[in-house]
Amino acid sequence: MDSVEPDLIQNSIQWTPKDDFGPNLIRLHVTNQIKELQTVIRDKNTSRSDFRFYADRLIRLVVEEGLNQLPYQKHSVTTPTGFQYNGLRFEEGNCGVSIIRSGEAMEKGLRECCRSICIGKILMAPYEETHEAAKVMYANFPVDIARRKVLLMSPILSTGNSIVKSIEILLKNNVHEEKIVVLTLFATPQGVKTILSRFPLVKVVTSDLNPSSPTHFGQRYFGTE
């Protein structure tokens, strides 16, 4: 079961709708479809099967936008009719890292977009066991992660403490800060400020910026309520 992080920064960082988070916060354009997905996920009366279905749809949208933040290179191909098409392709060296357990819910969406992508794992100790904001208990990365661009996946960005610790362990493994993109479905302004103030070169992609985040996400998705 996912633990809910203690609100260590609620009183120290205040948010108003006019706050400017800078260019490294990328928010999906909120269409009626995205608003519906967010509504179903937040609804306490949503069945687990519907919750997973709508969550997977929203995850796919966030993943697709995260892929837009990765570097591309020019690439030309020949079409079946013999014409040359000047397009793009990913530069090599991308990977995902999920924060266990709720972050694993996003792995399916990433693999649906990038079938052969490598995915690493980070496990945080529950707050109830450590009485600390977050503590890394386990990390397993591709051996060459230092040269890769990293999509760090966690569906909920609440206080930001777990993601801060995860970024720290990535930096200790020689990942460049500017090569880290955080993918999250729901983010709080406080959490975003915590991350971008500590790591100004990191990008954060989210579908929602709201002081209240659905911290029940992992329990509902995996059926561990």
Side-chain angles (χ1 to χ4, degrees):
M1 179 178 294
D2 292 356
S3 59
V4 178
E5 295 175 341
D7 196 351
L8 301 178
I9 59 175
Q10 180 71 38
N11 296 326
S12 62
I13 299 178
Q14 299 299 320
W15 173 74
T16 66
K18 295 182 180 179
D19 275 348
D20 180 11
F21 294 93
N24 280 4
L25 172 64
I26 297 97
R27 285 177 278 185
L28 301 187
H29 176 65
V30 182
T31 62
N32 288 338
Q33 176 189 201
I34 288 177
K35 197 67 175 179
E36 183 199 20
L37 299 178
Q38 295 169 345
T39 301
V40 172
I41 292 169
R42 286 181 177 273
D43 187 352
K44 69 177 183 179
N45 295 316
T46 298
S47 67
R48 180 170 174 256
S49 61
D50 281 349
F51 184 95
R52 288 183 61 117
F53 177 77
Y54 283 85
D56 285 341
R57 288 179 59 193
L58 188 57
I59 287 168
R60 179 66 179 264
L61 294 173
V62 171
V63 167
E64 295 279 11
E65 182 55 43
L67 296 176
N68 280 333
Q69 307 308 315
L70 299 178
Y72 290 78
Q73 61 186 16
K74 293 181 179 179
H75 182 64
S76 297
V77 297
T78 301
T79 71
T81 54
F83 289 96
Q84 181 173 306
Y85 177 78
N86 298 319
L88 297 172
R89 69 177 177 185
F90 280 124
E91 291 186 3
E92 293 183 358
N94 303 314
C95 73
V97 172
S98 61
I99 301 177
I100 302 171
R101 180 178 188 195
S102 60
E104 293 176 308
M106 304 181 73
E107 292 181 8
K108 176 174 176 286
L110 180 57
R111 290 201 185 280
E112 286 174 347
C113 298
C114 307
R115 287 181 291 180
S116 60
I117 195 167
C118 296
I119 297 180
K121 308 271 190 181
I122 296 176
L123 174 64
M124 296 289 175
Y127 171 73
E128 294 83 1
E129 295 180 8
T130 66
H131 299 288
E132 299 176 7
K135 183 178 180 181
V136 177
M137 298 295 293
Y138 167 82
N140 184 28
F141 304 136
V143 293
D144 59 348
I145 195 169
R147 71 172 186 84
R148 293 178 180 267
K149 280 75 70 176
V150 177
L151 298 172
L152 180 60
M153 299 177 289
S154 180
I156 305 299
L157 197 173
S158 184
T159 66
N161 294 314
S162 292
I163 291 177
V164 164
K165 291 293 185 182
S166 297
I167 293 173
E168 288 176 349
I169 196 69
L170 288 171
L171 296 180
K172 288 180 180 178
N173 281 268
N174 299 314
V175 176
H176 293 188
E177 182 178 321
E178 67 273 15
K179 292 185 177 181
I180 300 173
V181 180
V182 176
L183 304 184
T184 186
L185 305 185
F186 299 93
T188 67
Q190 296 88 352
V192 171
K193 278 193 171 183
T194 295
I195 292 170
L196 295 183
S197 63
R198 291 280 302 277
F199 309 106
L201 300 181
V202 167
K203 291 184 178 180
V204 177
V205 178
T206 186
S207 81
D208 189 40
L209 191 66
N210 192 297
S212 174
S213 60
T215 54
H216 61 277
F217 184 93
Q219 293 95 319
R220 295 292 306 279
Y221 192 93
F222 293 107
T224 57
E225 301 98 326

